[in-house]
Amino acid sequence: MTINQLTVVGAGAMGHQIAMLGALAGYETYLQDISKDSLEAADQKLRGIMKRWVEKEKLSAEDYEAAFSRLHMTTSLEEAAGKADLVIEAVVEKLEVKRQVFAQLDEVAPAHAILATNSSTIVSSLIVDATSRPDKVCNMHFFFPALVMDCVEVVKGEHTSDETAGTAMEVCERMGRTAILLKKEISGFVANRILFAIQKEAMHLYEGGYADFEDIDKIVRHALNHPIGPFELMDLSGLDVGYYVMQQQYQETNDPNDRPSKTLVEKVEAGELGRKTGKGFYSYDKKVRS
Protein backbone atom coordinates (compact mmCIF):
# COMPACT_ATOMS: atom_id res chain seq x y z
CA MET A 1 0.00 0.00 0.00
CA THR A 2 1.32 3.46 -0.93
CA ILE A 3 1.36 6.07 1.81
CA ASN A 4 1.18 9.69 0.67
CA GLN A 5 -0.43 11.47 3.61
CA LEU A 6 0.39 10.64 7.21
CA THR A 7 -1.55 11.96 10.22
CA VAL A 8 -0.52 11.97 13.88
CA VAL A 9 -3.19 12.50 16.54
CA GLY A 10 -1.85 14.06 19.73
CA ALA A 11 0.86 16.74 19.84
CA GLY A 12 2.43 15.70 23.13
CA ALA A 13 5.94 14.45 23.87
CA MET A 14 5.69 11.58 21.36
CA GLY A 15 3.23 12.81 18.78
CA HIS A 16 4.95 15.99 17.60
CA GLN A 17 8.26 14.17 17.11
CA ILE A 18 6.63 11.31 15.18
CA ALA A 19 5.00 13.91 12.94
CA MET A 20 8.38 15.53 12.33
CA LEU A 21 9.81 12.16 11.32
CA GLY A 22 7.00 11.87 8.80
CA ALA A 23 7.65 15.32 7.34
CA LEU A 24 11.39 14.70 7.17
CA ALA A 25 10.71 11.43 5.34
CA GLY A 26 8.81 13.30 2.64
CA TYR A 27 5.24 12.53 3.68
CA GLU A 28 2.57 15.21 3.61
CA THR A 29 2.01 15.20 7.36
CA TYR A 30 -0.78 16.50 9.60
CA LEU A 31 -0.43 16.87 13.37
CA GLN A 32 -3.77 17.15 15.16
CA ASP A 33 -4.52 18.04 18.76
CA ILE A 34 -7.63 19.39 20.46
CA SER A 35 -5.46 22.06 22.13
CA LYS A 36 -4.23 24.98 20.03
CA ASP A 37 -1.69 25.76 22.78
CA SER A 38 -0.25 22.24 22.50
CA LEU A 39 0.15 22.66 18.74
CA GLU A 40 1.89 26.02 19.16
CA ALA A 41 4.22 24.52 21.77
CA ALA A 42 4.94 21.58 19.46
CA ASP A 43 5.81 23.94 16.61
CA GLN A 44 8.22 25.91 18.81
CA LYS A 45 9.89 22.75 20.11
CA LEU A 46 10.30 21.24 16.66
CA ARG A 47 11.71 24.43 15.14
CA GLY A 48 14.21 24.63 17.99
CA ILE A 49 15.31 21.02 17.51
CA MET A 50 15.54 21.28 13.74
CA LYS A 51 17.48 24.57 13.89
CA ARG A 52 20.05 22.82 16.09
CA TRP A 53 20.21 20.02 13.51
CA VAL A 54 20.94 22.63 10.83
CA GLU A 55 23.63 24.24 13.02
CA LYS A 56 25.24 20.82 13.54
CA GLU A 57 24.94 20.08 9.80
CA LYS A 58 22.68 17.09 10.42
CA LEU A 59 20.09 18.78 8.19
CA SER A 60 20.41 21.30 5.39
CA ALA A 61 18.56 24.62 5.48
CA GLU A 62 16.72 23.55 2.33
CA ASP A 63 15.55 20.29 3.91
CA TYR A 64 14.50 22.21 7.02
CA GLU A 65 12.24 24.46 4.98
CA ALA A 66 10.91 21.56 2.90
CA ALA A 67 10.04 19.49 5.99
CA PHE A 68 8.11 22.32 7.63
CA SER A 69 6.31 23.03 4.37
CA ARG A 70 4.98 19.45 4.54
CA LEU A 71 4.00 19.65 8.24
CA HIS A 72 0.50 20.98 8.89
CA MET A 73 -1.03 21.53 12.33
CA THR A 74 -4.73 21.64 13.08
CA THR A 75 -7.29 21.17 15.84
CA SER A 76 -9.71 19.59 13.34
CA LEU A 77 -9.67 15.79 13.20
CA GLU A 78 -11.65 15.89 9.97
CA GLU A 79 -9.07 18.12 8.29
CA ALA A 80 -6.17 16.05 9.60
CA ALA A 81 -7.48 12.56 8.84
CA GLY A 82 -10.01 13.11 6.05
CA LYS A 83 -7.51 12.25 3.32
CA ALA A 84 -4.98 10.25 5.34
CA ASP A 85 -3.47 6.97 4.23
CA LEU A 86 -2.00 6.25 7.66
CA VAL A 87 -3.02 7.65 11.05
CA ILE A 88 -0.82 7.19 14.11
CA GLU A 89 -2.59 7.83 17.42
CA ALA A 90 -0.35 9.25 20.16
CA VAL A 91 -2.76 10.43 22.85
CA VAL A 92 -2.68 9.75 26.61
CA GLU A 93 -2.03 6.15 27.68
CA LYS A 94 -5.63 5.45 28.71
CA LEU A 95 -7.58 2.71 26.96
CA GLU A 96 -10.95 4.47 27.04
CA VAL A 97 -9.46 7.61 25.45
CA LYS A 98 -7.75 5.63 22.71
CA ARG A 99 -10.94 3.72 21.91
CA GLN A 100 -12.83 6.99 21.60
CA VAL A 101 -10.18 8.40 19.24
CA PHE A 102 -10.21 5.27 17.08
CA ALA A 103 -14.00 5.36 16.82
CA GLN A 104 -13.81 8.97 15.63
CA LEU A 105 -11.01 8.16 13.20
CA ASP A 106 -13.03 5.28 11.75
CA GLU A 107 -15.73 7.79 10.89
CA VAL A 108 -13.55 10.46 9.26
CA ALA A 109 -10.58 8.59 7.73
CA PRO A 110 -10.85 7.00 4.25
CA ALA A 111 -11.80 3.33 4.21
CA HIS A 112 -8.34 2.33 2.99
CA ALA A 113 -6.48 4.17 5.78
CA ILE A 114 -4.39 2.26 8.30
CA LEU A 115 -5.07 3.18 11.94
CA ALA A 116 -2.09 2.58 14.21
CA THR A 117 -1.59 3.23 17.91
CA ASN A 118 1.71 4.37 19.36
CA SER A 119 0.76 2.91 22.75
CA SER A 120 3.73 1.67 24.74
CA THR A 121 1.76 -1.18 26.33
CA ILE A 122 -1.85 -1.43 25.09
CA VAL A 123 -2.30 -4.02 22.35
CA SER A 124 -4.46 -3.05 19.40
CA SER A 125 -6.87 -5.96 19.96
CA LEU A 126 -8.25 -3.98 22.93
CA ILE A 127 -9.04 -1.08 20.56
CA VAL A 128 -9.88 -2.72 17.24
CA ASP A 129 -13.60 -3.29 17.87
CA ALA A 130 -14.08 0.48 18.07
CA THR A 131 -13.53 0.43 14.28
CA SER A 132 -15.02 -1.26 11.25
CA ARG A 133 -11.61 -2.06 9.71
CA PRO A 134 -9.89 -4.65 11.95
CA ASP A 135 -7.44 -5.73 9.26
CA LYS A 136 -6.06 -2.16 9.06
CA VAL A 137 -5.35 -1.72 12.79
CA CYS A 138 -1.95 -2.33 14.40
CA ASN A 139 0.60 -1.01 16.90
CA MET A 140 3.50 1.21 15.82
CA HIS A 141 5.43 1.77 19.04
CA PHE A 142 8.02 4.52 18.68
CA PHE A 143 10.38 5.16 21.59
CA PHE A 144 10.92 8.43 23.44
CA PRO A 145 12.30 10.73 22.17
CA ALA A 146 11.23 9.66 18.70
CA LEU A 147 13.66 11.97 16.87
CA VAL A 148 16.56 10.29 18.68
CA MET A 149 15.55 6.69 19.33
CA ASP A 150 16.03 4.35 16.40
CA CYS A 151 13.71 1.41 17.13
CA VAL A 152 10.01 0.97 16.34
CA GLU A 153 8.05 -2.12 17.41
CA VAL A 154 5.37 -2.93 14.82
CA VAL A 155 2.94 -5.33 16.49
CA LYS A 156 0.65 -7.55 14.45
CA GLY A 157 -2.53 -8.70 16.15
CA GLU A 158 -4.58 -11.63 14.92
CA HIS A 159 -6.84 -9.09 13.21
CA THR A 160 -3.99 -7.26 11.42
CA SER A 161 -3.40 -8.09 7.76
CA ASP A 162 0.05 -8.85 6.40
CA GLU A 163 -0.33 -5.85 4.07
CA THR A 164 -1.00 -3.51 6.99
CA ALA A 165 1.99 -4.77 8.96
CA GLY A 166 4.23 -4.62 5.91
CA THR A 167 3.17 -1.07 5.09
CA ALA A 168 3.82 0.04 8.68
CA MET A 169 7.30 -1.49 8.48
CA GLU A 170 8.02 0.34 5.22
CA VAL A 171 6.93 3.69 6.69
CA CYS A 172 9.27 3.23 9.66
CA GLU A 173 12.15 2.38 7.37
CA ARG A 174 11.47 5.45 5.19
CA MET A 175 11.61 7.49 8.41
CA GLY A 176 15.09 6.10 8.97
CA ARG A 177 14.04 3.87 11.86
CA THR A 178 14.80 0.23 12.53
CA ALA A 179 11.42 -1.50 12.35
CA ILE A 180 11.00 -4.82 14.13
CA LEU A 181 7.87 -6.94 13.62
CA LEU A 182 6.25 -8.67 16.58
CA LYS A 183 4.14 -11.48 15.14
CA LYS A 184 2.03 -11.90 18.29
CA GLU A 185 0.57 -9.44 20.76
CA ILE A 186 1.68 -9.18 24.37
CA SER A 187 1.06 -6.26 26.73
CA GLY A 188 4.13 -4.04 26.93
CA PHE A 189 5.67 -5.71 23.85
CA VAL A 190 9.40 -6.55 24.15
CA ALA A 191 11.47 -3.55 25.19
CA ASN A 192 9.07 -2.23 27.81
CA ARG A 193 8.50 -5.64 29.40
CA ILE A 194 12.24 -5.86 30.01
CA LEU A 195 12.41 -2.22 31.08
CA PHE A 196 9.43 -2.52 33.46
CA ALA A 197 11.05 -5.54 35.12
CA ILE A 198 14.15 -3.44 35.82
CA GLN A 199 12.13 -0.47 37.07
CA LYS A 200 9.93 -2.66 39.28
CA GLU A 201 12.97 -4.25 40.92
CA ALA A 202 14.65 -0.86 41.33
CA MET A 203 11.53 0.46 43.08
CA HIS A 204 11.41 -2.63 45.31
CA LEU A 205 15.01 -2.06 46.37
CA TYR A 206 14.38 1.63 47.02
CA GLU A 207 11.15 1.15 48.99
CA GLY A 208 12.78 -1.68 50.93
CA GLY A 209 15.50 0.68 52.13
CA TYR A 210 18.35 -1.23 50.51
CA ALA A 211 19.73 1.85 48.76
CA ASP A 212 18.76 5.42 47.87
CA PHE A 213 17.39 5.94 44.37
CA GLU A 214 20.44 8.01 43.42
CA ASP A 215 22.74 5.12 44.35
CA ILE A 216 20.60 2.59 42.51
CA ASP A 217 20.91 4.76 39.39
CA LYS A 218 24.68 4.98 39.88
CA ILE A 219 25.00 1.22 40.20
CA VAL A 220 22.97 0.61 37.05
CA ARG A 221 25.00 3.18 35.10
CA HIS A 222 28.46 2.23 36.37
CA ALA A 223 28.09 -1.53 36.91
CA LEU A 224 25.68 -2.43 34.11
CA ASN A 225 26.85 0.32 31.74
CA HIS A 226 23.33 1.61 31.10
CA PRO A 227 23.36 5.19 29.76
CA ILE A 228 20.70 6.22 32.28
CA GLY A 229 19.47 4.82 35.59
CA PRO A 230 15.90 3.51 36.13
CA PHE A 231 14.79 6.46 38.27
CA GLU A 232 16.35 8.95 35.86
CA LEU A 233 14.51 7.22 33.04
CA MET A 234 11.20 7.30 34.89
CA ASP A 235 11.67 11.05 35.36
CA LEU A 236 12.56 11.49 31.70
CA SER A 237 9.55 9.53 30.41
CA GLY A 238 7.14 11.06 32.94
CA LEU A 239 6.01 9.41 36.15
CA ASP A 240 2.39 9.84 35.10
CA VAL A 241 3.08 7.78 31.98
CA GLY A 242 4.44 4.92 34.07
CA TYR A 243 1.49 5.26 36.45
CA TYR A 244 -1.09 4.94 33.67
CA VAL A 245 0.79 2.03 32.12
CA MET A 246 0.82 0.09 35.40
CA GLN A 247 -2.85 0.86 36.00
CA GLN A 248 -3.69 -0.56 32.59
CA GLN A 249 -1.59 -3.67 33.17
CA TYR A 250 -3.27 -4.24 36.54
CA GLN A 251 -6.71 -3.95 34.90
CA GLU A 252 -5.67 -6.60 32.38
CA THR A 253 -3.98 -9.05 34.78
CA ASN A 254 -5.55 -8.40 38.23
CA ASP A 255 -2.08 -9.24 39.57
CA PRO A 256 -1.30 -7.06 42.64
CA ASN A 257 2.35 -7.00 41.55
CA ASP A 258 1.33 -4.97 38.49
CA ARG A 259 -0.24 -2.15 40.52
CA PRO A 260 1.62 1.20 40.68
CA SER A 261 3.95 1.31 43.68
CA LYS A 262 3.19 3.43 46.75
CA THR A 263 6.01 5.83 45.87
CA LEU A 264 4.81 6.24 42.28
CA VAL A 265 1.25 6.96 43.42
CA GLU A 266 2.48 9.56 45.90
CA LYS A 267 4.63 11.29 43.28
CA VAL A 268 1.80 11.48 40.75
CA GLU A 269 -0.72 12.73 43.32
CA ALA A 270 1.77 15.43 44.35
CA GLY A 271 2.22 16.51 40.72
CA GLU A 272 5.90 15.52 40.77
CA LEU A 273 5.98 13.98 37.30
CA GLY A 274 9.67 14.27 36.43
CA ARG A 275 11.53 16.57 34.08
CA LYS A 276 8.39 18.10 32.61
CA THR A 277 7.34 19.50 36.00
CA GLY A 278 10.88 20.24 37.26
CA LYS A 279 10.68 17.62 39.98
CA GLY A 280 10.22 13.87 40.12
CA PHE A 281 12.69 11.70 41.96
CA TYR A 282 15.22 14.44 41.16
CA SER A 283 14.90 18.22 41.26
CA TYR A 284 16.21 19.41 37.92
CA ASP A 285 17.43 22.85 38.97
CA LYS A 286 19.70 21.25 41.56
CA LYS A 287 20.48 17.75 40.35
CA VAL A 288 24.15 16.97 39.74
CA ARG A 289 24.91 13.71 38.01
CA SER A 290 28.04 11.77 39.01
Side-chain angles (χ1 to χ4, degrees):
M1 177 177 170
T2 301
I3 302 298
N4 296 308
Q5 181 178 312
L6 184 153
T7 295
V8 179
V9 178
M14 290 298 299
H16 73 283
Q17 294 205 8
I18 296 172
M20 192 74 245
L21 286 174
L24 289 167
Y27 295 112
E28 203 68 24
T29 304
Y30 281 77
L31 177 61
Q32 187 273 343
D33 197 285
I34 59 174
S35 168
K36 186 176 179 181
D37 289 345
S38 294
L39 291 171
E40 290 175 352
D43 183 64
Q44 291 178 2
K45 290 175 185 176
L46 289 174
R47 289 186 183 277
I49 294 169
M50 292 299 105
K51 284 177 181 176
R52 289 194 293 273
W53 280 24
V54 173
E55 291 168 0
K56 296 178 180 179
E57 298 183 348
K58 293 175 61 178
L59 184 72
S60 71
E62 292 78 12
D63 287 341
Y64 170 97
E65 294 296 338
F68 278 99
S69 73
R70 289 188 291 265
L71 181 59
H72 314 280
M73 299 190 182
T74 179
T75 57
S76 169
L77 192 64
E78 291 79 5
E79 179 185 356
K83 296 181 180 179
D85 300 306
L86 167 64
V87 183
I88 302 174
E89 166 273 312
V91 303
V92 66
E93 194 75 354
K94 293 184 178 181
L95 177 59
E96 63 272 19
V97 177
K98 292 182 184 294
R99 286 178 57 85
Q100 182 180 12
V101 170
F102 268 71
Q104 293 172 336
L105 287 170
D106 195 52
E107 292 292 327
V108 301
H112 72 271
I114 293 171
L115 305 182
T117 174
N118 179 57
S119 174
S120 58
T121 55
I122 300 172
V123 293
S124 65
S125 61
L126 296 177
I127 303 172
V128 67
D129 65 341
T131 79
S132 60
R133 60 184 86 192
D135 60 312
K136 300 185 185 303
V137 176
C138 68
N139 286 85
M140 292 177 69
H141 176 216
F142 292 76
F143 289 83
F144 179 79
L147 284 166
V148 176
M149 299 298 286
D150 174 58
C151 186
V152 182
E153 293 173 321
V154 175
V155 188
K156 186 177 183 292
E158 291 184 359
H159 52 275
T160 309
S161 71
D162 290 338
E163 181 186 30
T164 293
T167 301
M169 295 282 287
E170 290 173 3
V171 169
C172 295
E173 290 163 4
R174 182 166 160 180
M175 289 178 171
R177 294 298 174 263
T178 299
I180 299 172
L181 179 64
L182 276 63
K183 299 177 182 179
K184 292 173 59 177
E185 290 185 328
I186 186 168
S187 177
F189 318 128
V190 173
N192 277 344
R193 289 183 70 87
I194 295 170
L195 180 62
F196 293 159
I198 294 172
Q199 292 181 345
K200 189 178 294 186
E201 183 60 25
M203 190 71 77
H204 167 72
L205 293 168
Y206 168 62
E207 291 186 337
Y210 297 99
D212 291 335
F213 66 85
E214 298 99 329
D215 290 331
I216 295 171
D217 277 349
K218 287 180 185 178
I219 291 168
V220 170
R221 284 192 274 107
H222 293 286
L224 303 182
N225 204 30
H226 288 204
I228 189 170
F231 293 95
E232 292 172 308
L233 185 54
M234 282 187 269
D235 273 5
L236 176 63
S237 301
L239 298 182
D240 54 332
V241 175
Y243 174 80
Y244 292 139
V245 164
M246 296 193 74
Q247 277 193 323
Q248 177 61 36
Q249 286 193 320
Y250 176 59
Q251 289 175 12
E252 292 179 27
T253 67
N254 289 318
D255 184 345
N257 292 322
D258 289 334
R259 298 179 69 173
S261 68
K262 178 182 176 182
T263 301
L264 187 58
V265 171
E266 291 173 350
K267 290 284 186 185
V268 171
E269 290 180 348
E272 298 174 358
L273 308 182
R275 287 178 181 261
K276 60 187 173 184
T277 60
K279 181 174 174 59
F281 285 97
Y282 295 92
S283 295
Y284 289 89
D285 56 343
K286 299 177 181 177
K287 175 177 174 287
V288 177
R289 174 171 168 165
S290 61

